[in-house]
Amino acid sequence: MKPPAIETSAPAADGVKVQGVTIPVAQQSTTIVTRMHVAASPQRVWKSLMFYEGIGERPPLYLRLLLPLPIRTEGSNSVVGDQATCLYEGGHLLKRVTKIDRCRQYVFSVVEQNLAVGGGVRLTGGSYSLRDLLYGRTELSITTQYTSRNRPRWLVQPIEECVCHMFHRHLLGAIRIKAESGATVTDA
């Protein structure tokens, strides 16, 4: 299994309000990738893809303490251009499908975030990537892209990355259970 991947790109302009004045703060875009092998074909894994809000069971305690609690997803998300509202206790995300390469890649952008995540994290997008392996197995990767105003970066970025990988492993585990059991869902 490949190690988790972390990428950082050029800073994005943004600002922080201090006593009513916006002070520019450079933000870096961070990409977190987590992979898992699934004992099922890419076709079966594809049919089992879901968003976090579609898992149907309560997240584990550590995710309930660290992330907003998911409620459900409303709207369609099966064709490029579709938008789905992902509801959480305390807010929502609006995700737009930007690319679908059936049984290989599903990409979305977060076009609206009305949800407090990690004290200053702005989610910008994500994806699911499938790679066919030998013996009917599939490597499934989940990617999350975000920017963060949290400082100091040297201290908070490793914490953000750890939480993101825990979130990914929970989601990957739920997808793997569905795919390996043959059950399917239609959220993603």
Side-chain angles (χ1 to χ4, degrees):
M1 183 169 309
K2 295 180 184 176
I6 300 165
E7 297 175 13
T8 303
S9 65
D14 198 4
V16 176
K17 283 199 174 195
V18 177
Q19 296 179 347
V21 177
T22 301
I23 300 170
V25 175
Q27 292 183 6
Q28 290 189 324
S29 177
T30 302
T31 300
I32 307 294
V33 181
T34 311
R35 296 172 177 86
M36 181 178 283
H37 288 188
V38 181
S41 69
Q43 294 77 13
R44 183 178 267 177
V45 174
W46 183 263
K47 290 178 183 176
S48 301
L49 293 182
M50 67 182 92
F51 287 145
Y52 180 51
E53 305 79 19
I55 290 181
E57 62 185 45
R58 276 176 58 128
L61 178 61
Y62 60 88
L63 288 180
R64 291 195 311 267
L65 294 173
L66 297 169
L67 297 174
L69 192 60
I71 299 172
R72 70 182 173 279
T73 301
E74 295 178 346
S76 180
N77 56 3
S78 55
V79 214
V80 172
D82 277 357
Q83 294 189 151
T85 302
C86 302
L87 301 171
Y88 294 81
E89 285 186 5
H92 71 273
L93 298 172
L94 182 62
K95 298 176 184 175
R96 178 180 297 137
V97 180
T98 58
K99 179 181 179 184
I100 296 177
D101 183 359
R102 192 156 176 75
C103 297
R104 291 189 183 161
Q105 191 175 42
Y106 180 96
V107 184
F108 62 91
S109 60
V110 177
V111 295
E112 180 178 296
Q113 178 173 330
N114 181 10
L115 184 67
V117 179
V121 171
R122 165 83 170 90
L123 301 170
T124 58
S127 67
Y128 300 86
S129 297
L130 289 73
R131 187 169 64 94
D132 196 4
L133 301 174
L134 295 174
Y135 312 112
R137 297 178 59 83
T138 303
E139 179 184 79
L140 175 59
S141 303
I142 294 182
T143 301
T144 296
Q145 299 159 332
Y146 70 93
T147 59
S148 176
R149 293 189 311 254
N150 295 326
R151 301 287 184 265
R153 293 305 298 151
W154 61 266
L155 176 63
V156 296
Q157 187 168 353
I159 296 166
E160 291 168 353
E161 292 166 1
C162 180
V163 171
C164 193
H165 284 301
M166 289 190 300
F167 159 73
H168 284 177
R169 283 190 288 276
H170 174 64
L171 183 52
L172 285 164
I175 293 169
R176 179 163 71 181
I177 288 168
K178 295 281 186 190
E180 290 178 353
S181 72
T184 60
V185 293
T186 57
D187 274 353

mmCIF file of all heavy atoms in Angstrom, residues 63-93:
data_model
loop_
_atom_site.group_PDB
_atom_site.id
_atom_site.type_symbol
_atom_site.label_atom_id
_atom_site.label_comp_id
_atom_site.label_asym_id
_atom_site.label_seq_id
_atom_site.Cartn_x
_atom_site.Cartn_y
_atom_site.Cartn_z
ATOM 1 N N LEU A 63 -14.441 11.212 15.314
ATOM 2 C CA LEU A 63 -14.896 12.082 14.226
ATOM 3 C C LEU A 63 -16.035 12.979 14.677
ATOM 4 O O LEU A 63 -16.125 14.132 14.254
ATOM 5 C CB LEU A 63 -15.311 11.268 12.998
ATOM 6 C CG LEU A 63 -14.175 10.635 12.209
ATOM 7 C CD1 LEU A 63 -14.711 9.862 11.009
ATOM 8 C CD2 LEU A 63 -13.149 11.659 11.759
ATOM 9 N N ARG A 64 -16.901 12.483 15.557
ATOM 10 C CA ARG A 64 -17.995 13.320 16.080
ATOM 11 C C ARG A 64 -17.442 14.487 16.888
ATOM 12 O O ARG A 64 -18.014 15.568 16.906
ATOM 13 C CB ARG A 64 -18.964 12.494 16.922
ATOM 14 C CG ARG A 64 -19.775 11.502 16.110
ATOM 15 C CD ARG A 64 -20.964 10.945 16.870
ATOM 16 N NE ARG A 64 -20.698 10.456 18.196
ATOM 17 C CZ ARG A 64 -20.413 9.186 18.512
ATOM 18 N NH1 ARG A 64 -20.343 8.266 17.565
ATOM 19 N NH2 ARG A 64 -20.218 8.836 19.764
ATOM 20 N N LEU A 65 -16.310 14.266 17.546
ATOM 21 C CA LEU A 65 -15.700 15.329 18.342
ATOM 22 C C LEU A 65 -14.927 16.326 17.484
ATOM 23 O O LEU A 65 -14.805 17.497 17.845
ATOM 24 C CB LEU A 65 -14.760 14.731 19.391
ATOM 25 C CG LEU A 65 -15.424 13.894 20.480
ATOM 26 C CD1 LEU A 65 -14.372 13.222 21.347
ATOM 27 C CD2 LEU A 65 -16.362 14.747 21.322
ATOM 28 N N LEU A 66 -14.403 15.879 16.342
ATOM 29 C CA LEU A 66 -13.519 16.712 15.529
ATOM 30 C C LEU A 66 -14.174 17.362 14.314
ATOM 31 O O LEU A 66 -13.689 18.371 13.817
ATOM 32 C CB LEU A 66 -12.323 15.873 15.046
ATOM 33 C CG LEU A 66 -11.412 15.336 16.146
ATOM 34 C CD1 LEU A 66 -10.447 14.313 15.582
ATOM 35 C CD2 LEU A 66 -10.666 16.483 16.811
ATOM 36 N N LEU A 67 -15.260 16.767 13.819
ATOM 37 C CA LEU A 67 -15.892 17.255 12.591
ATOM 38 C C LEU A 67 -17.385 17.480 12.809
ATOM 39 O O LEU A 67 -17.983 16.863 13.688
ATOM 40 C CB LEU A 67 -15.705 16.231 11.459
ATOM 41 C CG LEU A 67 -14.281 15.933 11.019
ATOM 42 C CD1 LEU A 67 -14.271 14.798 9.999
ATOM 43 C CD2 LEU A 67 -13.627 17.174 10.449
ATOM 44 N N PRO A 68 -17.990 18.343 11.976
ATOM 45 C CA PRO A 68 -19.450 18.496 12.063
ATOM 46 C C PRO A 68 -20.149 17.160 11.805
ATOM 47 O O PRO A 68 -19.668 16.337 11.018
ATOM 48 C CB PRO A 68 -19.767 19.492 10.942
ATOM 49 C CG PRO A 68 -18.485 20.204 10.679
ATOM 50 C CD PRO A 68 -17.400 19.212 10.967
ATOM 51 N N LEU A 69 -21.273 16.946 12.456
ATOM 52 C CA LEU A 69 -22.013 15.687 12.335
ATOM 53 C C LEU A 69 -22.861 15.690 11.057
ATOM 54 O O LEU A 69 -23.696 16.573 10.858
ATOM 55 C CB LEU A 69 -22.916 15.502 13.558
ATOM 56 C CG LEU A 69 -23.539 14.130 13.757
ATOM 57 C CD1 LEU A 69 -22.470 13.049 13.916
ATOM 58 C CD2 LEU A 69 -24.443 14.135 14.980
ATOM 59 N N PRO A 70 -22.646 14.706 10.170
ATOM 60 C CA PRO A 70 -23.415 14.664 8.917
ATOM 61 C C PRO A 70 -24.857 14.241 9.150
ATOM 62 O O PRO A 70 -25.151 13.453 10.038
ATOM 63 C CB PRO A 70 -22.673 13.615 8.087
ATOM 64 C CG PRO A 70 -22.033 12.718 9.095
ATOM 65 C CD PRO A 70 -21.708 13.599 10.277
ATOM 66 N N ILE A 71 -25.758 14.795 8.319
ATOM 67 C CA ILE A 71 -27.175 14.451 8.408
ATOM 68 C C ILE A 71 -27.596 13.666 7.166
ATOM 69 O O ILE A 71 -28.042 12.537 7.254
ATOM 70 C CB ILE A 71 -28.054 15.709 8.574
ATOM 71 C CG1 ILE A 71 -27.667 16.442 9.859
ATOM 72 C CG2 ILE A 71 -29.527 15.351 8.565
ATOM 73 C CD1 ILE A 71 -28.334 17.794 10.034
ATOM 74 N N ARG A 72 -27.458 14.286 5.982
ATOM 75 C CA ARG A 72 -27.842 13.618 4.732
ATOM 76 C C ARG A 72 -27.382 14.461 3.546
ATOM 77 O O ARG A 72 -26.943 15.592 3.711
ATOM 78 C CB ARG A 72 -29.349 13.402 4.665
ATOM 79 C CG ARG A 72 -30.154 14.664 4.497
ATOM 80 C CD ARG A 72 -31.667 14.401 4.480
ATOM 81 N NE ARG A 72 -32.412 15.649 4.474
ATOM 82 C CZ ARG A 72 -32.663 16.375 5.547
ATOM 83 N NH1 ARG A 72 -32.258 15.960 6.730
ATOM 84 N NH2 ARG A 72 -33.342 17.503 5.452
ATOM 85 N N THR A 73 -27.553 13.905 2.358
ATOM 86 C CA THR A 73 -27.275 14.609 1.103
ATOM 87 C C THR A 73 -28.572 14.781 0.345
ATOM 88 O O THR A 73 -29.365 13.843 0.256
ATOM 89 C CB THR A 73 -26.268 13.803 0.242
ATOM 90 O OG1 THR A 73 -25.060 13.640 0.983
ATOM 91 C CG2 THR A 73 -25.958 14.513 -1.057
ATOM 92 N N GLU A 74 -28.795 15.980 -0.195
ATOM 93 C CA GLU A 74 -29.975 16.252 -1.009
ATOM 94 C C GLU A 74 -29.522 16.688 -2.397
ATOM 95 O O GLU A 74 -28.546 17.421 -2.531
ATOM 96 C CB GLU A 74 -30.817 17.370 -0.387
ATOM 97 C CG GLU A 74 -31.415 16.999 0.949
ATOM 98 C CD GLU A 74 -32.200 18.143 1.580
ATOM 99 O OE1 GLU A 74 -32.075 19.306 1.128
ATOM 100 O OE2 GLU A 74 -32.933 17.872 2.545
ATOM 101 N N GLY A 75 -30.238 16.246 -3.409
ATOM 102 C CA GLY A 75 -29.907 16.632 -4.771
ATOM 103 C C GLY A 75 -29.213 15.504 -5.504
ATOM 104 O O GLY A 75 -28.860 14.483 -4.928
ATOM 105 N N SER A 76 -29.011 15.722 -6.773
ATOM 106 C CA SER A 76 -28.402 14.703 -7.625
ATOM 107 C C SER A 76 -26.897 14.923 -7.714
ATOM 108 O O SER A 76 -26.421 16.056 -7.642
ATOM 109 C CB SER A 76 -29.027 14.780 -9.017
ATOM 110 O OG SER A 76 -28.465 13.806 -9.852
ATOM 111 N N ASN A 77 -26.166 13.848 -7.893
ATOM 112 C CA ASN A 77 -24.710 13.945 -8.030
ATOM 113 C C ASN A 77 -24.171 12.852 -8.955
ATOM 114 O O ASN A 77 -23.103 12.318 -8.732
ATOM 115 C CB ASN A 77 -24.022 13.881 -6.663
ATOM 116 C CG ASN A 77 -24.391 12.643 -5.881
ATOM 117 O OD1 ASN A 77 -25.117 11.779 -6.364
ATOM 118 N ND2 ASN A 77 -23.898 12.548 -4.669
ATOM 119 N N SER A 78 -24.922 12.561 -10.010
ATOM 120 C CA SER A 78 -24.525 11.457 -10.880
ATOM 121 C C SER A 78 -24.033 11.890 -12.258
ATOM 122 O O SER A 78 -23.515 11.076 -12.999
ATOM 123 C CB SER A 78 -25.690 10.470 -11.041
ATOM 124 O OG SER A 78 -26.832 11.150 -11.500
ATOM 125 N N VAL A 79 -24.188 13.188 -12.604
ATOM 126 C CA VAL A 79 -23.741 13.679 -13.912
ATOM 127 C C VAL A 79 -22.925 14.960 -13.692
ATOM 128 O O VAL A 79 -23.185 15.704 -12.748
ATOM 129 C CB VAL A 79 -24.921 14.048 -14.834
ATOM 130 C CG1 VAL A 79 -24.612 13.759 -16.283
ATOM 131 C CG2 VAL A 79 -26.211 13.440 -14.444
ATOM 132 N N VAL A 80 -21.945 15.194 -14.567
ATOM 133 C CA VAL A 80 -21.154 16.414 -14.476
ATOM 134 C C VAL A 80 -22.095 17.617 -14.492
ATOM 135 O O VAL A 80 -23.015 17.686 -15.305
ATOM 136 C CB VAL A 80 -20.129 16.489 -15.626
ATOM 137 C CG1 VAL A 80 -19.436 17.848 -15.652
ATOM 138 C CG2 VAL A 80 -19.098 15.374 -15.508
ATOM 139 N N GLY A 81 -21.883 18.532 -13.564
ATOM 140 C CA GLY A 81 -22.730 19.711 -13.422
ATOM 141 C C GLY A 81 -23.766 19.587 -12.326
ATOM 142 O O GLY A 81 -24.278 20.597 -11.838
ATOM 143 N N ASP A 82 -24.095 18.349 -11.918
ATOM 144 C CA ASP A 82 -25.045 18.152 -10.818
ATOM 145 C C ASP A 82 -24.495 18.782 -9.547
ATOM 146 O O ASP A 82 -23.277 18.841 -9.336
ATOM 147 C CB ASP A 82 -25.272 16.658 -10.548
ATOM 148 C CG ASP A 82 -26.299 16.032 -11.472
ATOM 149 O OD1 ASP A 82 -26.883 16.756 -12.297
ATOM 150 O OD2 ASP A 82 -26.496 14.804 -11.362
ATOM 151 N N GLN A 83 -25.419 19.234 -8.691
ATOM 152 C CA GLN A 83 -25.037 19.794 -7.400
ATOM 153 C C GLN A 83 -25.801 19.066 -6.299
ATOM 154 O O GLN A 83 -26.985 18.799 -6.448
ATOM 155 C CB GLN A 83 -25.337 21.291 -7.340
ATOM 156 C CG GLN A 83 -24.498 22.097 -8.286
ATOM 157 C CD GLN A 83 -24.630 23.597 -8.082
ATOM 158 O OE1 GLN A 83 -23.697 24.279 -8.359
ATOM 159 N NE2 GLN A 83 -25.756 24.093 -7.619
ATOM 160 N N ALA A 84 -25.091 18.774 -5.235
ATOM 161 C CA ALA A 84 -25.693 18.113 -4.082
ATOM 162 C C ALA A 84 -25.414 18.951 -2.839
ATOM 163 O O ALA A 84 -24.289 19.413 -2.638
ATOM 164 C CB ALA A 84 -25.131 16.706 -3.911
ATOM 165 N N THR A 85 -26.445 19.135 -2.033
ATOM 166 C CA THR A 85 -26.291 19.830 -0.764
ATOM 167 C C THR A 85 -26.069 18.782 0.313
ATOM 168 O O THR A 85 -26.908 17.911 0.522
ATOM 169 C CB THR A 85 -27.541 20.673 -0.439
ATOM 170 O OG1 THR A 85 -27.750 21.596 -1.513
ATOM 171 C CG2 THR A 85 -27.367 21.441 0.862
ATOM 172 N N CYS A 86 -24.926 18.877 0.973
ATOM 173 C CA CYS A 86 -24.573 17.942 2.036
ATOM 174 C C CYS A 86 -24.856 18.638 3.363
ATOM 175 O O CYS A 86 -24.208 19.635 3.707
ATOM 176 C CB CYS A 86 -23.109 17.540 1.918
ATOM 177 S SG CYS A 86 -22.737 16.789 0.313
ATOM 178 N N LEU A 87 -25.868 18.133 4.073
ATOM 179 C CA LEU A 87 -26.334 18.759 5.307
ATOM 180 C C LEU A 87 -25.623 18.187 6.525
ATOM 181 O O LEU A 87 -25.427 16.972 6.630
ATOM 182 C CB LEU A 87 -27.840 18.562 5.445
ATOM 183 C CG LEU A 87 -28.679 19.125 4.299
ATOM 184 C CD1 LEU A 87 -30.129 18.681 4.431
ATOM 185 C CD2 LEU A 87 -28.571 20.633 4.251
ATOM 186 N N TYR A 88 -25.278 19.090 7.434
ATOM 187 C CA TYR A 88 -24.609 18.749 8.690
ATOM 188 C C TYR A 88 -25.312 19.482 9.813
ATOM 189 O O TYR A 88 -25.986 20.490 9.564
ATOM 190 C CB TYR A 88 -23.144 19.227 8.681
ATOM 191 C CG TYR A 88 -22.265 18.534 7.696
ATOM 192 C CD1 TYR A 88 -22.246 18.903 6.358
ATOM 193 C CD2 TYR A 88 -21.435 17.502 8.103
ATOM 194 C CE1 TYR A 88 -21.421 18.273 5.448
ATOM 195 C CE2 TYR A 88 -20.603 16.869 7.200
ATOM 196 C CZ TYR A 88 -20.605 17.257 5.882
ATOM 197 O OH TYR A 88 -19.785 16.621 4.979
ATOM 198 N N GLU A 89 -25.118 19.020 11.023
ATOM 199 C CA GLU A 89 -25.583 19.805 12.163
ATOM 200 C C GLU A 89 -24.782 21.098 12.150
ATOM 201 O O GLU A 89 -23.560 21.065 12.170
ATOM 202 C CB GLU A 89 -25.371 19.040 13.478
ATOM 203 C CG GLU A 89 -26.358 17.923 13.672
ATOM 204 C CD GLU A 89 -26.250 17.262 15.035
ATOM 205 O OE1 GLU A 89 -25.469 17.717 15.895
ATOM 206 O OE2 GLU A 89 -26.961 16.267 15.237
ATOM 207 N N GLY A 90 -25.472 22.223 12.027
ATOM 208 C CA GLY A 90 -24.788 23.502 12.043
ATOM 209 C C GLY A 90 -24.453 24.083 10.678
ATOM 210 O O GLY A 90 -23.805 25.121 10.602
ATOM 211 N N GLY A 91 -24.871 23.446 9.578
ATOM 212 C CA GLY A 91 -24.577 24.051 8.286
ATOM 213 C C GLY A 91 -24.632 23.077 7.125
ATOM 214 O O GLY A 91 -25.210 21.991 7.231
ATOM 215 N N HIS A 92 -24.007 23.480 6.019
ATOM 216 C CA HIS A 92 -24.036 22.626 4.824
ATOM 217 C C HIS A 92 -22.846 22.918 3.907
ATOM 218 O O HIS A 92 -22.181 23.949 4.036
ATOM 219 C CB HIS A 92 -25.337 22.838 4.042
ATOM 220 C CG HIS A 92 -25.400 24.161 3.354
ATOM 221 N ND1 HIS A 92 -25.860 25.293 3.972
ATOM 222 C CD2 HIS A 92 -25.046 24.544 2.100
ATOM 223 C CE1 HIS A 92 -25.802 26.308 3.144
ATOM 224 N NE2 HIS A 92 -25.297 25.893 1.982
ATOM 225 N N LEU A 93 -22.617 21.988 2.994
ATOM 226 C CA LEU A 93 -21.678 22.145 1.877
ATOM 227 C C LEU A 93 -22.477 21.949 0.604
ATOM 228 O O LEU A 93 -23.369 21.104 0.556
ATOM 229 C CB LEU A 93 -20.578 21.080 1.922
ATOM 230 C CG LEU A 93 -19.641 21.047 3.118
ATOM 231 C CD1 LEU A 93 -18.750 19.807 3.060
ATOM 232 C CD2 LEU A 93 -18.799 22.309 3.165
#
